[in-house]
Amino acid sequence: MSKKFRVFATCDIGDSIELLRKRGYEVEVYPRPEAPPKNLIIEKVKSGVDGLITTLRDPIDAEVFEVGKGTLKVVAQIAVGFDNINRADANRYKVPFTHTADVLTEATAEFAFFLLGSLARKMWPAEHLTRENRWGYWHPYLPFLGDEVTGKTIAVIGTGRIGLALIKKCSGFDMNILCYDPAYQNHEYVKGIQEVMDLRQARGIQKEKTWIKYVSLEEALRTADFVSVHVPLLREGESTTPTYHLFNEKTLRMMKPTAYLVNTSRGPVVDELAVAKALREKWIAGAALDVYEKEPLPEDSPLRDPAIEDRFRLLPHFASAARITRLSTDPNKGMAGRTAQGLIDVLEGNYDGDVRKMPYVVNKEAFGK
Ligand code: NAD
């Protein structure tokens, strides 16, 4: 390679950094675990780096692209969601950015499923009971019971990569499945799942007949026992179907008082004040959140209210946090490997230098022939 590329990474992404260095890249890694201040990112871009490795914690917008004019060639994000990157600004400055779709799909979907199971079966309060030595007897229904997942109805909100992966897992638990997605509907996939459901029933693998169908948001929320959210964060003006506060007082009130909500998508998709109220006033039976309007969750957040904690699981943006998913250097397995490969594709001009052919580039629309 003739040119030595310079890269600033706002966080360590493990062995993939060494692999870039072995290729001759000069890579500087921000050494602390928290996000660097924005002015440090600006300073690094101003110094002429060719590439940035970013996380969802880093605001990347016109201010960054402006100082990188003529030098910044790519932003490689270690996440599938990219709501921290201003797409319109990236397009205006013609800087491609990449993400790590697919490699975290199964990990995130299984995490959402485990969350809904542990929430409904009350594993957290039950373990507290045991640890705090409050478990005095075996009794048919005291001190509390949970709700089964098997055989229930789930609404999957957003049937993209992660939503479809969750559907596959739920079908194995004999669940009925309601799908809602105003922008993308995969009827072939749904048909395939129905065929599998029918075959399982015909062969006696599951007792009851189960079903899957696309419905309206209202029907999904009014009917489901579980609601799991798998949409990108799209603010007003970014989409004809924005997802900002998609779950608010009005939509939460549509859910059954026995239903559970799980959100592993992005925090601002759920109005946190509304969900705390819904739990306090028992409009819904429980909720589990992995993502928040402000991360990390502020100390004084109303979500920490002890009055609702037995029905409310709070996780630290953890859904993709599995060893291989996060750190494998293989671009087909790990977010780190895919991030590095996205960066390499752009800087080294793979795919004949045609950005639109590069699989991990998001904003292909900004690049003509
Ligand atoms: P995707 O783009 O494949 O799927 C998203 C789906 O949401 C699309 O089908 C889209 O049409 C649909 N959608 C858009 N607007 C909608 C609306 N108003 N109502 C319902 N559906 C709508 O994305 P993906 O790979 O499945 O990831 C989904 C999101 O999950 C990511 O954008 C990311 O923010 C989040 N995520 C979080 C974690 C985590 O660690 N908690 C991990 C991975 C992904």
Side-chain angles (χ1 to χ4, degrees):
M1 199 187 355
S2 49
K3 182 167 178 345
K4 189 172 178 180
F5 294 110
R6 280 182 58 217
V7 173
F8 178 64
T10 68
C11 63
D12 184 20
I13 62 164
D15 294 344
S16 296
I17 297 283
E18 271 326 298
L19 292 180
L20 288 172
R21 287 183 178 140
K22 280 201 187 112
R23 274 179 110 80
Y25 286 43
E26 192 185 300
V27 188
E28 186 189 347
V29 179
Y30 184 65
R32 299 179 58 86
E34 68 272 17
K38 190 176 181 197
N39 58 19
L40 184 69
I41 298 177
I42 304 245
E43 191 186 300
K44 296 297 172 192
V45 172
K46 213 175 195 170
S47 79
V49 295
D50 302 283
L52 271 182
I53 291 175
T54 57
T55 72
L56 45 90
R57 311 171 306 178
D58 308 313
I60 306 297
D61 55 16
E63 216 186 334
V64 174
F65 294 122
E66 178 62 30
V67 293
K69 246 171 147 175
T71 47
L72 183 66
K73 296 171 191 69
V74 60
V75 176
Q77 163 104 338
I78 183 160
V80 58
F82 47 80
D83 40 278
N84 58 304
I85 300 175
N86 188 312
R87 186 172 188 152
D89 289 349
N91 289 357
R92 207 147 36 84
Y93 285 88
K94 295 232 175 305
V95 178
F97 65 92
T98 66
H99 71 155
T100 63
D102 301 313
V103 285
L104 40 54
T105 294
E106 300 295 336
T108 307
E110 73 171 26
F111 193 81
F113 190 83
F114 297 153
L115 270 184
L116 72 85
S118 65
L119 174 67
R121 297 300 303 270
K122 297 199 171 14
M123 291 194 188
W124 192 85
E127 183 171 348
H128 273 266
L129 191 83
T130 317
R131 287 189 177 280
E132 290 156 20
N133 207 20
R134 289 184 287 116
W135 171 34
Y137 40 79
W138 187 98
H139 185 279
Y141 59 83
L142 292 175
F144 47 70
L145 295 175
D147 291 311
E148 302 84 349
V149 171
T150 304
K152 296 285 176 56
T153 297
I154 185 167
V156 178
I157 310 300
T159 59
R161 289 168 289 247
I162 298 169
L164 292 182
L166 178 67
I167 286 171
K168 176 176 63 174
K169 297 180 198 315
C170 292
S171 70
F173 276 74
D174 305 351
M175 297 183 89
N176 294 307
I177 303 167
L178 296 160
C179 310
Y180 170 70
D181 193 318
Y184 170 76
Q185 306 201 337
N186 193 330
H187 293 284
E188 269 309 296
Y189 192 95
V190 163
K191 194 168 149 231
I193 293 285
Q194 186 65 63
E195 282 167 14
V196 172
M197 287 171 163
D198 293 345
L199 182 65
R200 283 164 55 101
Q201 202 237 347
R203 295 288 189 90
I205 296 167
Q206 64 182 59
K207 278 199 199 111
E208 306 288 332
K209 189 166 168 49
T210 51
W211 45 260
I212 177 169
K213 58 182 176 182
Y214 273 101
V215 293
S216 68
L217 179 63
E218 182 159 352
E219 184 177 345
L221 299 185
R222 290 202 188 281
T223 319
D225 302 304
F226 295 94
V227 176
S228 191
V229 191
H230 302 283
V231 301
L233 170 58
L234 297 167
R235 295 179 190 275
E236 214 46 66
E238 289 177 347
S239 162
T240 49
T241 56
T243 58
Y244 178 80
H245 282 193
L246 182 64
F247 284 81
N248 51 42
E249 287 210 13
K250 187 172 164 219
T251 45
L252 286 165
R253 277 187 191 278
M254 288 176 188
M255 289 175 60
K256 299 197 291 196
T258 49
Y260 296 91
L261 173 71
V262 174
N263 182 25
T264 55
S265 67
R266 281 290 181 265
V269 172
V270 172
D271 177 346
E272 289 178 358
L273 289 178
V275 89
K277 190 170 173 192
L279 288 167
R280 265 195 323 270
E281 298 182 6
K282 306 206 168 146
W283 313 342
I284 61 175
L289 303 182
D290 184 44
V291 286
Y292 305 91
E293 301 207 49
K294 188 168 185 311
E295 297 181 2
L297 186 65
E299 203 178 334
D300 60 353
S301 165
L303 302 186
R304 296 184 189 275
D305 182 355
I308 51 177
E309 81 177 18
D310 58 336
R311 289 161 285 144
F312 200 12
R313 304 282 53 82
L314 304 175
L315 281 299
H317 202 143
F318 207 55
S320 69
R323 230 176 282 280
I324 294 170
T325 299
R326 280 279 173 87
L327 287 187
S328 171
T329 55
D330 180 344
N332 291 317
K333 295 201 172 111
M335 295 162 68
R338 191 157 278 210
T339 303
Q341 190 60 50
L343 186 95
I344 290 168
D345 284 349
V346 177
L347 291 183
E348 298 184 21
N350 291 344
Y351 301 90
D352 304 320
D354 186 344
V355 171
R356 290 165 313 159
K357 291 190 188 142
M358 298 180 188
Y360 313 141
V361 169
V362 176
N363 57 334
K364 294 191 169 75
E365 71 277 6
F367 302 90
K369 264 197 171 286

